Amino acid sequence: MNKLSACSSMACGISLQPKMVLASLRVRKQGNGRCTNVPRNVNLEKLQNNYLFPEYARALSTADGYRGYGAEQGNQALRKAIAETFYKDVAIKDTEVFVSDGSQCDISRLQLLLGSKVTIAVQDPSFPGYIDSSVIIGQAGDFQDKTGKYQNIEYMQLGPQNNFFPDLTVTPRTDIIFFCSPNNPTGHAATRKQLQQLVEFARDNGSIIIFDSAYAAYISDDSPKSIFEIPGAKEVAIEISSFSKFAGFTGVRLGWTVVPEELLFSGGFPVIHDFNRIVCTCFNGASNIAQAGGLACLSPEGFQAICAVIDYYKENAKILVDTFASLGLEVYGGVNAPYVWVHFPGSKSWNIFAEILEKTHIITVPGSGFGPGGGEYIRISAFGKRKHIIEASWRLEKLFSKGKPLFNCLK
């Protein structure tokens, strides 16, 4: 009798070998790191085996002949290139890198990993995806109109008064800490000392840091570009990043997440195993075309070209910073990030946005969209052609020089 061969929407391949498949389903239950105090999602504990189709593909495919879905974790060559380009000095393995269709998508996958029972903290202001995904997954509680905050979310205030870094001495313990550096929207890159404090805080509390380094390529001083530059971070942190902001992949969609093997749930189960299951169950892998583009970006020639583009946007940011400073306004960011954060004390950000739009036809982003801490600020992006940046600066300066009241925002 002939052996049973398998065909599906993937390619026809070798015969199924039950022993091989079953062996691949066995998962190591304990890791080598220090346990956090974050419990494993009980719903993931209910799953009995790995997701069917990746295991099925192991038996189905051959290295030379497989032409179906790509690996959910990403092209092996790209995973290796990411590890060697961005994490070589901190010894991140390529197997700890998960390629994705962007860091925003990975935020939601991480929320699936964590479940609704964990407590979270976010920077205020911060990228809205952290808060919104927390609300959707059921971590947040009700919205409070009076404060502009959700119950059950800890808002870590950032501003000039604390050098845009939260006071951890008064910050309550949470399971998860979302932290973006360089920060969107403020543009502040946390210093090494600040990140050492953050990692120590997480280790003392058994918390997990979700570290968003999407803008790390814009750092020009000695601020860490990865949380894993800080000793001990591998036991308390996950890092997400993206090709969107440093390689212009905003419409192409490509990013990655790093989950160290040392990161463990409170019971000792490796977080990487559960994240791998989430990826295999909820994701079919990034586009092969996008991943090929990512590999090209990380080639010596490609990376050199990308660095030149980053310098171009940083010069745009400098022009914007100088322009708003010349108008007598308090300006932050624009040095280690492509965003400029401008303060209008006593004014409402939506009013500022509307008046600038009406009088100069320049589009900005109201700071309140990033949380209550941004209520008196606007964010300006340096992404754009130089001639447009110069034109915008000229309009602002021209209007101001005529003595017209540019910012008559109602309080």
Side-chain angles (χ1 to χ4, degrees):
M1 179 180 290
N2 295 331
K3 291 184 179 179
L4 175 65
S5 61
C7 293
S8 70
S9 59
M10 297 178 283
C12 293
I14 64 174
S15 301
L16 287 175
Q17 300 293 331
K19 289 184 179 179
M20 179 173 63
V21 174
L22 290 175
S24 70
L25 296 179
R26 299 192 187 102
V27 177
R28 178 168 57 96
K29 293 300 183 183
Q30 298 294 327
N32 298 319
R34 165 184 172 179
C35 294
T36 66
N37 290 333
V38 180
R40 188 181 178 207
N41 185 338
V42 294
N43 296 311
L44 281 167
E45 291 182 13
K46 296 175 184 177
L47 293 170
Q48 297 302 303
N49 296 310
N50 287 344
Y51 191 57
L52 171 63
F53 293 109
E55 300 305 326
Y56 180 65
R58 291 178 193 265
L60 182 66
S61 62
T62 64
D64 296 329
Y66 181 57
R67 292 294 183 271
Y69 291 113
E72 290 85 356
Q73 302 84 357
N75 179 300
Q76 189 59 45
L78 180 56
R79 298 172 78 187
K80 183 178 180 181
I82 291 171
E84 291 180 348
T85 302
F86 300 107
Y87 302 104
K88 184 176 181 180
D89 294 337
V90 295
I92 290 294
K93 304 173 184 176
D94 55 8
T95 53
E96 297 171 309
V97 177
F98 294 79
V99 178
S100 72
D101 52 348
S103 57
Q104 183 164 352
C105 301
D106 273 343
I107 291 170
S108 296
R109 294 186 190 108
L110 287 169
Q111 294 286 25
L112 284 176
L113 167 78
L114 298 167
S116 62
K117 303 300 183 183
V118 296
T119 56
I120 72 161
V122 298
Q123 295 161 293
D124 180 27
S126 70
F127 179 63
Y130 314 138
I131 294 175
D132 291 357
S133 62
S134 298
V135 174
I136 292 170
I137 204 71
Q139 300 163 349
D142 295 330
F143 183 75
Q144 306 297 299
D145 291 324
K146 186 175 182 180
T147 62
K149 300 178 180 180
Y150 286 93
Q151 287 181 324
N152 305 332
I153 292 181
E154 180 63 32
Y155 290 74
M156 303 183 297
Q157 186 176 8
L158 308 179
Q161 73 282 359
N162 59 8
N163 196 22
F164 293 96
F165 186 78
D167 184 354
L168 298 178
T169 63
V170 298
T171 301
R173 187 254 173 210
T174 59
D175 293 317
I176 308 301
I177 304 168
F178 282 97
F179 198 92
C180 181
S181 179
N183 177 262
N184 177 13
T186 69
H188 175 73
T191 65
R192 188 168 302 275
K193 182 178 179 180
Q194 288 174 336
L195 289 185
Q196 287 171 343
Q197 294 173 1
L198 180 65
V199 169
E200 182 180 356
F201 180 77
R203 288 174 64 86
D204 289 344
N205 288 287
S207 304
I208 294 177
I209 302 165
I210 308 296
F211 189 80
D212 188 343
S213 64
Y215 303 95
Y218 290 84
I219 293 177
S220 55
D221 58 20
D222 60 353
S223 300
K225 295 185 177 182
S226 168
I227 191 67
F228 300 122
E229 294 182 35
I230 308 302
K234 290 182 182 179
E235 295 181 338
V236 294
I238 294 170
E239 183 163 305
I240 56 176
S241 198
S242 172
F243 281 81
S244 292
K245 302 306 187 293
F246 82 90
F249 273 41
T250 46
V252 179
R253 306 307 304 148
L254 193 67
W256 70 87
T257 289
V258 177
V259 185
E261 293 177 353
E262 294 92 330
L263 182 63
L264 308 177
F265 289 116
S266 57
F269 192 88
V271 175
I272 191 171
H273 290 333
D274 275 354
F275 187 68
N276 183 70
R277 180 58 195 268
I278 291 290
V279 168
C280 290
T281 303
C282 305
F283 185 48
N284 273 358
S287 160
N288 291 334
I289 298 172
Q291 293 191 76
L295 272 171
C297 289
L298 300 185
S299 68
E301 299 82 5
F303 200 72
Q304 183 178 3
I306 286 172
C307 290
V309 174
I310 290 171
D311 289 341
Y312 179 91
Y313 289 136
K314 289 173 70 172
E315 182 62 28
N316 281 355
K318 184 178 185 303
I319 292 171
L320 291 169
V321 168
D322 291 345
T323 298
F324 280 100
S326 73
L327 298 176
L329 297 166
E330 297 177 357
V331 190
Y332 306 95
V335 177
N336 289 321
Y339 296 128
V340 177
W341 190 237
V342 188
H343 192 200
F344 299 85
S347 299
K348 294 181 179 180
S349 63
W350 276 103
N351 292 338
I352 301 166
F353 162 83
E355 188 158 359
I356 291 178
L357 179 61
E358 178 185 350
K359 294 185 177 181
T360 68
H361 296 171
I362 296 170
I363 297 176
T364 61
V365 180
S368 59
F370 300 95
E376 296 181 350
Y377 292 81
I378 59 169
R379 193 199 75 176
I380 302 95
S381 171
F383 294 121
K385 295 181 179 179
R386 180 65 49 79
K387 64 179 182 180
H388 295 157
I389 299 296
I390 293 174
E391 172 68 20
S393 300
W394 178 80
R395 291 183 190 183
L396 290 168
E397 290 175 346
K398 181 180 179 182
L399 187 56
F400 182 80
S401 65
K402 286 185 176 182
K404 293 184 179 180
L406 180 59
F407 307 111
N408 285 335
C409 307
L410 297 175
K411 297 183 180 180

